[in-house]
Amino acid sequence: MTRALITGGAGFLGSHLCELFLERGHEVICIDNFITGNPANIQHLIGREGFSFVKYDVTNYIHIVIASTSEVYGDPLVHPQKEDYWGNVNPVGPRGVYDEAKRFAEAMTMAYHRFHGVETRIVRIFNTYGPRMRIKDGRVVPAFISQALRNEPLTVFGDGSQTRSFCFVTDLIEGIYRLLMSDEVNPTNIGNPNEMTVLQFAQEIKRLTGSSAPIEFRPLPEDDPKIRRPDITKARTLLHWEPVVPLEEGLAKTIDYFRRVL
Ligand code: UDP
């Protein structure tokens, strides 16, 4: 069994990745500096055989593979997004630093692979939700659920017609695991192709929480992608992977989690 080094291992996705690797018999070294990660996310893993934790800031240099994002596609002009689409990113917009950093990270990864022969994988992660998301990270899932549970207005940005496709965390983690175990070097989309508008999503959260909170419209942030949906043909064919958790089931688990931590 291999040893897995998981950076950001105390974060939302990282902690779920740690669990899956341990479950499948790997040794896991989790690195986090708790800037956004939370010790509570890995508390249950401390002391477990094969698990070790190192408090470290990865910006101090470390040799690893990193995760990419659907943000590399920017505000896409091609829909749904396939891996061979190069994207439509505004380099000087408010999302520019994040988007370009991830694009540069992909470029670096490929350069290390091509020039130094480093074994690398690039996963393009689309919108993901589930237990252990940070309540105040500004993302739509924790925002809407916490607003609904507190009976505060659900803040829909713009007219809510922009679309996203939400993947439950266990599906995403399984996809990442299969990609890491494969020998595919080129970027691979992992996400759920079930696309909906943000307004529909707000209504769904209201229905599942049984909340009577109103929906309020707020200005749309600059460069907010208008559409996003992964084309997962590649993951389906290559990894025999596709999401299996229906939105309603995943949201019920996520809502349970937020009820406990709120
Ligand atoms: N959004 C919203 N209300 C909120 C937070 C987000 O309407 O309180 C919208 C946001 O404008 C975007 C979508 O929900 O269109 C997803 O936003 P998020 O930040 O979760 O992810 P990303 O934009 O990176 O896909």
Side-chain angles (χ1 to χ4, degrees):
M1 284 296 157
T2 56
R3 177 187 295 164
L5 174 67
I6 301 175
T7 55
F12 163 47
L13 296 181
S15 63
H16 285 276
L17 264 179
C18 289
E19 269 172 16
L20 188 84
F21 271 85
L22 283 173
E23 239 166 62
R24 307 240 161 126
H26 302 272
E27 192 184 321
V28 170
I29 302 171
C30 164
I31 293 189
D32 209 299
N33 65 350
F34 299 131
I35 277 195
T36 57
N38 182 353
N41 289 342
I42 51 163
Q43 211 167 22
H44 60 297
L45 302 179
I46 301 285
R48 218 154 105 176
E49 202 190 329
F51 181 79
S52 52
F53 173 76
V54 183
K55 187 164 182 237
Y56 188 72
D57 181 347
V58 293
T59 58
N60 292 331
Y61 186 79
I62 177 184
H63 208 98
I64 40 118
V65 178
I66 60 165
S68 189
T69 161
S70 53
E71 281 285 320
V72 299
Y73 300 119
D75 193 3
L77 304 177
V78 169
H79 195 66
Q81 294 79 53
K82 244 183 152 66
E83 288 87 348
D84 58 6
Y85 175 49
W86 291 353
N88 177 40
V89 170
N90 173 4
V92 294
R95 300 168 91 104
V97 172
Y98 181 73
D99 295 6
E100 299 293 14
K102 287 291 191 180
R103 290 164 67 91
F104 179 63
E106 288 197 2
M108 284 272 280
T109 302
M110 289 310 290
Y112 267 87
H113 173 72
R114 286 194 192 102
F115 192 79
H116 297 290
V118 176
E119 221 193 294
T120 56
R121 307 284 180 274
I122 298 175
V123 54
R124 289 187 181 154
I125 297 175
F126 282 66
N127 296 63
T128 302
Y129 69 98
R132 299 186 206 149
M133 285 191 103
R134 288 186 299 141
I135 298 176
K136 287 189 184 157
D137 77 354
R139 282 163 206 262
V140 70
V141 176
F144 284 178
I145 295 180
S146 57
Q147 289 163 343
L149 292 178
R150 291 173 169 142
N151 259 312
E152 290 166 3
L154 274 67
T155 51
V156 169
F157 296 163
D159 61 4
S161 63
Q162 69 273 32
T163 69
R164 292 296 184 274
S165 317
F166 298 97
C167 187
F168 189 60
V169 62
T170 52
D171 280 336
L172 183 97
I173 297 300
E174 179 64 36
I176 294 179
Y177 184 83
R178 290 197 196 183
L179 177 65
L180 291 176
M181 294 301 143
S182 79
D183 52 13
E184 177 58 29
V185 165
N186 291 305
T188 306
N189 290 340
I190 300 287
N192 193 318
N194 176 22
E195 182 183 7
M196 67 180 66
T197 68
V198 166
L199 184 57
Q200 282 171 333
F201 188 65
Q203 282 154 349
E204 188 66 2
I205 299 285
K206 276 191 58 170
R207 186 176 74 81
L208 293 173
T209 52
S211 172
S212 53
I215 289 179
E216 265 182 27
F217 294 89
R218 300 273 167 85
L220 187 68
E222 199 182 329
D223 291 342
D224 197 275
K226 284 178 267 313
I227 42 175
R228 182 183 291 151
R229 174 189 183 183
D231 182 319
I232 58 164
T233 310
K234 182 175 171 185
R236 276 199 176 109
T237 352
L238 201 80
L239 312 173
H240 309 291
W241 172 87
E242 65 181 351
V244 292
V245 180
L247 183 71
E248 183 159 342
E249 187 185 319
L251 280 179
K253 289 186 173 148
T254 313
I255 291 166
D256 273 354
Y257 170 80
F258 281 108
R259 269 193 223 280
R260 271 184 279 124
V261 296
L262 270 180

